[in-house]
Amino acid sequence: MNFLACASAMILNTTLREMDSNRTLDLDEPSTYMLQEWIISPPYTDMKMFLIPPIVCLVAAILIIPSILFVIFSSFSIRQETRYLLLGNALLCDLMYLIFYTLSAILNGANLMLPKYGCVLLLFLLAVTYCGGLLTAAAMVLDIFLAILFPLRYVAILPSSRTKKLIVLIWLSSGVFPGIIYLVLMVTQKPILCPLNTCSVPIILVMTLHGDDAVKLCYMLSFAALFLCLALIHGCYIILYLKTQQSGIWESIFSRASVTFLMHHTILFFYFSPLLALVVETLLYINAVIGLRTGIWMSLTICNVLMVLPKALFPYLYGLRYREISSP
């Protein structure tokens, strides 16, 4: 039995079992047949349209990120500053994520199947680079927080040597969390007659909702960790605003502080809006507001557009803002 037929059987059987136990999922026979046909023979012409955003974002990132990284790491004075080291790490994570995700999207668009361990490695690298980007964004906010609230002790608190250790810790943390989740799933999952073998991140996100309790627990823990990171970032920004509102730096909307604040929030919105969209999609799907087909299209839109767009915009909106980097 081929992969698409297996996927169809597993999804539809799970859905039908839920229909028997919960009548809120109402799926008539024509709809079931339509979903089965779509899964077995997906509209590759339409799906290939979703290859355009990752490829365009990757090209846009390749045009600018390597040059910024070269400026940062080739200049001794620049790479001694914490903000530039963190910026370089964030750009490196974004570039690697775009490369790996575009590779995954192209392979799935061409209907090419990776070996099992090749797929596991690719998904692991995607998780590591994505988590690394988010953790580095949180570290950048923490850096600004310390620089503004403790200007006299900032250099002693976060020198370049400690920043390098922080970056190593970010990479280790980014690898440990996905690794633990993979080990938990590997231990708890029971062998099934028709396993689902796919490296498509959107399909995996949808299929997670049909998994057992261990899969759903890992899914919820991942989102909880990401939103905890988001809460920490916004908490730091709120404290910064409250501590500095009496200093007069917010009087003009065109002041450097206001522009920086707006730019940071814009970037954070682009980074975390896909997560909010995934939560909305999950709630709509598990409450039978949308069907399987709509859920897959929404996942494709989130993963192939919303998740890759900020990684292409970040170096242009934030990286080139520094005079030391943008000046020839």
Side-chain angles (χ1 to χ4, degrees), residues 220-293:
M220 290 187 292
L221 287 177
S222 300
F223 274 101
L226 292 173
F227 279 105
L228 181 63
C229 182
L230 176 62
L232 174 65
I233 292 173
H234 277 285
C236 289
Y237 273 125
I238 292 173
I239 294 174
L240 284 176
Y241 178 76
L242 294 176
K243 293 289 186 179
T244 59
Q245 63 177 345
Q246 302 297 330
S247 62
I249 63 175
W250 306 102
E251 292 181 356
S252 173
I253 61 174
F254 298 106
S255 66
R256 186 172 181 83
S258 299
V259 172
T260 301
F261 188 79
L262 177 62
M263 187 175 300
H264 275 254
H265 270 73
T266 301
I267 293 171
L268 289 174
F269 171 77
F270 278 125
Y271 267 98
F272 286 94
S273 59
L275 304 179
L276 297 176
L278 281 175
V279 171
V280 172
E281 180 208 348
T282 300
L283 294 175
L284 293 176
Y285 185 69
I286 63 178
N287 289 287
V289 177
I290 60 175
L292 177 63
R293 180 170 183 164

Side-chain angles (χ1 to χ4, degrees), residues 7 58 159 164 178 195 243:
L58 176 60
K164 295 174 184 177
K243 293 289 186 179

Side-chain angles (χ1 to χ4, degrees), residues 200-221:
S200 174
V201 176
I203 299 296
I204 291 174
L205 289 175
V206 174
M207 291 304 302
T208 301
L209 302 178
H210 290 276
D212 56 19
D213 292 338
V215 175
K216 293 178 180 177
L217 177 61
C218 292
Y219 187 78
M220 290 187 292
L221 287 177

